[in-house]
Amino acid sequence: MKKLLNIIVIFTVIALVAGCKTSEANYRAAYEKAVAARAEDESIDSTIYGQVRRQMKSQVMQTPDGRSVEVQSQFVKVTENGGGIPENLKSYNVVAGQFKQLFNAKSLRDRLTDLGYPGAFVVETSEPYYYVVAGSYSGLTQAADALEQLRAKAPVAMKAPLPFILHAAAGRSTK
């Protein structure tokens, strides 16, 4: 009797394991569940990175030659080992990337350098949130020209709101 019970338990376990095989349908169901959960999950606005974005002030400024340019203002500092020094950070910065991870920001900075943007460097907010600066300029006209050129060349994939001009004059920090 005990032997029969053991055989039944073994067959039951085998049947359960065999019934749990992965399939395309199982993967699809898991994927759809993850997508639904992500959509229902808290938006980025409720995270620390959303807080950084809320702190960024947006305004439309006029260049001396009469163009209207949207400019974002944020307190930033040059990232240590980010390819720049505090003196590189001018008032108007053309941002080509934004990241939560420094590794990813440095990777984009390296790609931009290889693609003809030797002045590219990384800046960060206090959280930190990292921005990859393709070029830094003292004047808004220069920055607006560089922004147009970056958009036209599109050397790397950029999703909205990129690229944009970051005004760091009020928030430049050397900490």
Side-chain angles (χ1 to χ4, degrees):
M1 181 72 161
K2 192 172 186 177
K3 193 173 190 179
L4 180 63
L5 185 60
N6 285 341
I7 292 174
I8 292 173
V9 169
I10 290 172
F11 278 114
T12 304
V13 170
I14 291 172
L16 288 174
V17 171
C20 294
K21 288 185 180 177
T22 59
S23 68
E24 187 174 340
N26 290 349
Y27 282 120
R28 170 61 64 190
Y31 171 76
E32 288 172 358
K33 185 176 179 181
V35 168
R38 184 175 61 197
E40 293 173 4
D41 198 12
E42 294 180 347
S43 70
I44 192 161
D45 286 338
S46 64
T47 66
I48 190 77
Y49 302 105
Q51 181 181 356
V52 169
R53 290 181 184 175
R54 286 189 303 277
Q55 290 172 352
M56 188 177 287
K57 306 290 185 236
S58 181
Q59 62 182 350
V60 175
M61 299 177 76
Q62 295 290 324
T63 62
D65 60 4
R67 290 181 284 170
S68 294
V69 181
E70 185 173 0
V71 177
Q72 308 293 326
S73 296
Q74 180 85 28
F75 289 96
V76 294
K77 67 177 182 176
V78 174
T79 302
E80 187 175 325
N81 298 317
I85 56 174
E87 291 77 25
N88 293 131
L89 185 61
K90 306 283 193 284
S91 295
Y92 300 99
N93 303 277
V94 178
V95 174
Q98 55 189 10
F99 299 95
K100 297 175 197 174
Q101 300 294 321
L102 178 57
F103 174 82
N104 295 333
K106 286 182 177 181
S107 177
L108 178 58
R109 183 230 28 226
D110 293 343
R111 284 188 297 162
L112 285 171
T113 301
D114 292 344
L115 293 169
Y117 294 87
F121 61 97
V122 180
V123 297
E124 65 186 82
T125 64
S126 60
E127 277 66 33
Y129 194 67
Y130 302 98
Y131 296 107
V132 181
V133 175
S136 190
Y137 307 93
S138 298
L140 182 56
T141 302
Q142 296 168 309
D145 292 343
L147 179 67
E148 289 174 12
Q149 290 173 2
L150 184 64
R151 283 183 177 148
K153 286 183 182 178
V156 294
M158 294 178 277
K159 292 189 269 183
L162 298 168
F164 65 87
I165 295 176
L166 174 67
H167 182 251
R172 283 185 290 176
S173 171
T174 57
K175 294 191 242 178

